[in-house]
Amino acid sequence: MGFSTDCIHAGQEPEPTTGAVSVPIFQTSTYVQPELGRHKGFEYARTQNPTRFATEAALAALERGKHGHCFASGMSAIDTVFRLLKSGDHVIAGENMYGGSYRLFSKVLEKFGLQFTYVDTSKIEEVKKAFRPETKILYLETPTNPMMTITDIAMCAELAHAKGAMVVVDNTFCSPYLQRPIELGADIVLHSTTKFLNGHSDSVGGVVITTTDELGQQIGFLQNAVGAILSPFDSWLVMRGIKTLAVRMKRHEENGQAMANYLAHHAKVKKVYYPGLPDHPQHELAKRQMNGFGAVISFELGSYENAKKFLDRVKLCSLGESLGGVETLISHPESMTHASVPLDTRTRLGITPGLVRISVGIEDIEDLIADLENAFEA
Ligand SMILES: *Cc1c(COP(=O)(O)O)cnc(C)c1O
């Protein structure tokens, strides 16, 4: 089936008892068993919940994977993936990642003996050099947050597989509408469903999508053993969100491109980071690898004072962390999402005091541009 059809139907069978078109919220902790030693496939709700199962099946289908497992947050999804490893194992990760992922790796997982090397994954030679015999995972984000650098997933997958490692892609910034890493060779795709997948800024969640029965079984075991499951209500919200994923993303994409063009021609903007602009260093790769360029744009205003003046004056665009919602959100990575990244790394990556990130929503683009214009003029 086509992507839009899958958004609405994949995994979402009408409920068998009543025929309810929308999979109900099964708000229960346990299930009655008809007799000792016999049950209907549902024993306890950490392990099995029909609402969560439907959402997991839908997400697996959209990413063209085999199994999906949903978690209480994007971070718990990431944490669970790394529990596949053991002390002494080595991971290669992008040097410009979501700040929370870097915090999890450096402040939590290293304590348990996992080793991390951070490289610019857009440079395949650097990735190649970082492999060790004990490398188990190559962990990618593309585009990166907030610098919007693109990594060649297919090339990385080929390299990692030759070295006996898995490729894990955090696809949060794209959603499967814009990019499907599994089709490019990734072994595991994960998301913060909090962002584009749910899309309405009203739920926190995560998902891990796997490509083999063995990996699916291992993640399922960890989901149950560790227990950071997505609640029935949040599962339902995510399912409701993805029904409109294709139409939302199309509009996000149009607005994102229009906003990037506006910013690129503005005298007060020093630089725009958006893979859809022809001067982006990996524009050709982005064209090949993605089905559009998305709605997240970073731009440089030159100083903290300029950024603060601008951010204090926007009205329609809400100042806040997060991205991927129907409403336009604007943020200051250096002091907000990336405050936990060490200063020297931030500086090297270009996460400067003057950098602003915007996640363009699906409002009327004229209103969004008028809001920014007003903030620039003041
Ligand atoms: C938000 C985000 C996360 C973390 O997800 P939560 O749902 O906030 O726990 C991970 N990766 C990326 C790219 C994100 O944007």
Side-chain angles (χ1 to χ4, degrees), residues 309-367:
K309 264 190 275 178
F310 177 76
L311 290 168
D312 287 348
R313 281 174 188 152
V314 288
K315 291 199 184 76
L316 182 59
C317 304
S318 320
L319 176 63
E321 295 202 3
S322 198
L323 57 102
V326 288
E327 61 288 286
T328 297
L329 284 166
I330 197 159
S331 72
H332 185 246
E334 195 217 22
S335 66
M336 295 167 70
T337 46
H338 289 68
S340 59
V341 178
L343 177 64
D344 57 328
T345 312
R346 281 205 307 258
T347 310
R348 184 161 44 81
L349 295 177
I351 307 173
T352 59
L355 191 75
V356 170
R357 185 190 80 189
I358 187 164
S359 166
V360 185
I362 61 172
E363 300 96 333
D364 289 304
I365 187 67
E366 298 77 18
D367 293 334

Side-chain angles (χ1 to χ4, degrees), residues 73-75 78 98 101 141 170 172-173 192 194-195 204-205 323:
S73 67
M75 289 320 303
I78 298 169
Y98 179 68
S101 304
E141 264 180 47
D170 179 340
T172 301
F173 259 49
S192 164
T194 315
K195 316 295 167 53
V204 171
L323 57 102

Side-chain angles (χ1 to χ4, degrees), residues 22-28 49-51 231-237 239:
S22 163
V23 177
I25 302 165
F26 283 88
Q27 192 68 35
T28 187
N49 182 283
T51 318
S231 77
F233 182 56
D234 286 287
S235 298
W236 184 85
L237 282 174
M239 191 172 7

